[in-house]
Amino acid sequence: PAAIGAAGVIALAVLPTVGPLGAILAGIASGVVLGSVNGFLIGVMRTNPVLTTLGTNVAALGAALIFTQGDYVYTQDPIFTQIGQGRLFGVIPNIIILVGIVAIVAHLLLSYTVFGRWVYPTGGNYAAARAAGVPVRRVMVSVFIISGTFAAMGGVLLASLLGSARTTAGLGMEFNAIA
């Protein structure tokens, strides 16, 4: 959830310098970094997933608050805002199309790949998955990286939709994600 606010803030902060594509990539990269930290701590160091995720969220939120000094970050870049506010053929919102593409890719990844077959047992029963030969540590790190990436994508899309970002955009979503 901290990746949502941080990604939007980072994307809008670098937008004037690197342009829309660079801003999108920078925002998403922030989620990859946060997911990598969580994945390493949880998958490799075997720390508690809930406490680790909450702790890294607080750290990311604090860093983003220091960077923005608690203010909103705004943009009026028409290309960047068109991603979130635009519509295909004037009817279908771009966000729906992007979410649909991500959902299809995720479905194909989880349903038709070896990695997908490893994810389910790793999340269901870690010890049994390890006993069955699943590389559970690599799978856990990968899943946290993917999760951070998706959260950051959501943050960038939200910033594009609103034309602004704030560090607390994802605040309060932690327990929905855990549940």
Side-chain angles (χ1 to χ4, degrees), residues 71-95:
D71 289 336
Y72 284 80
V73 181
Y74 297 96
T75 186
Q76 293 185 7
D77 186 290
I79 296 171
F80 186 80
T81 55
Q82 181 64 24
I83 296 165
Q85 298 172 5
R87 294 176 176 270
L88 181 66
F89 307 120
V91 178
I92 305 169
N94 291 344
I95 290 180

Side-chain angles (χ1 to χ4, degrees), residues 9 58-71 166-168:
V9 166
V58 168
L61 178 63
L65 282 169
I66 290 169
F67 176 73
T68 63
Q69 298 178 355
D71 289 336
R166 61 186 173 121
T167 55
T168 57

Side-chain angles (χ1 to χ4, degrees), residues 104-118:
I104 290 168
V105 170
H107 167 72
L108 294 174
L109 178 72
L110 290 173
S111 299
Y112 299 105
T113 66
V114 172
F115 174 75
R117 287 193 297 270
W118 287 345

Side-chain angles (χ1 to χ4, degrees), residues 3-177:
I4 295 169
V9 166
I10 289 169
L12 294 186
V14 302
L15 180 63
T17 306
V18 299
L21 180 60
I24 291 167
L25 294 176
I28 292 172
S30 70
V32 171
V33 169
L34 189 58
S36 298
V37 169
N38 281 334
F40 175 76
L41 291 173
I42 296 164
V44 177
M45 302 301 293
R46 304 288 299 138
T47 60
N48 181 290
V50 174
L51 296 178
T52 301
T53 304
L54 290 174
T56 56
N57 277 338
V58 168
L61 178 63
L65 282 169
I66 290 169
F67 176 73
T68 63
Q69 298 178 355
D71 289 336
Y72 284 80
V73 181
Y74 297 96
T75 186
Q76 293 185 7
D77 186 290
I79 296 171
F80 186 80
T81 55
Q82 181 64 24
I83 296 165
Q85 298 172 5
R87 294 176 176 270
L88 181 66
F89 307 120
V91 178
I92 305 169
N94 291 344
I95 290 180
I96 298 295
I97 295 166
L98 293 171
V99 169
I101 291 168
V102 169
I104 290 168
V105 170
H107 167 72
L108 294 174
L109 178 72
L110 290 173
S111 299
Y112 299 105
T113 66
V114 172
F115 174 75
R117 287 193 297 270
W118 287 345
V119 169
Y120 289 109
T122 300
N125 189 335
Y126 185 89
R130 185 176 52 214
V134 174
V136 290
R137 289 185 179 193
R138 274 192 312 179
V139 171
M140 288 188 76
V141 170
S142 299
V143 168
F144 276 99
I145 292 171
I146 292 167
S147 176
T149 303
F150 283 169
M153 290 168 106
V156 170
L157 286 174
L158 181 62
S160 174
L161 176 68
L162 299 176
S164 67
R166 61 186 173 121
T167 55
T168 57
L171 201 60
M173 294 182 186
E174 298 89 354
F175 295 106
N176 290 340

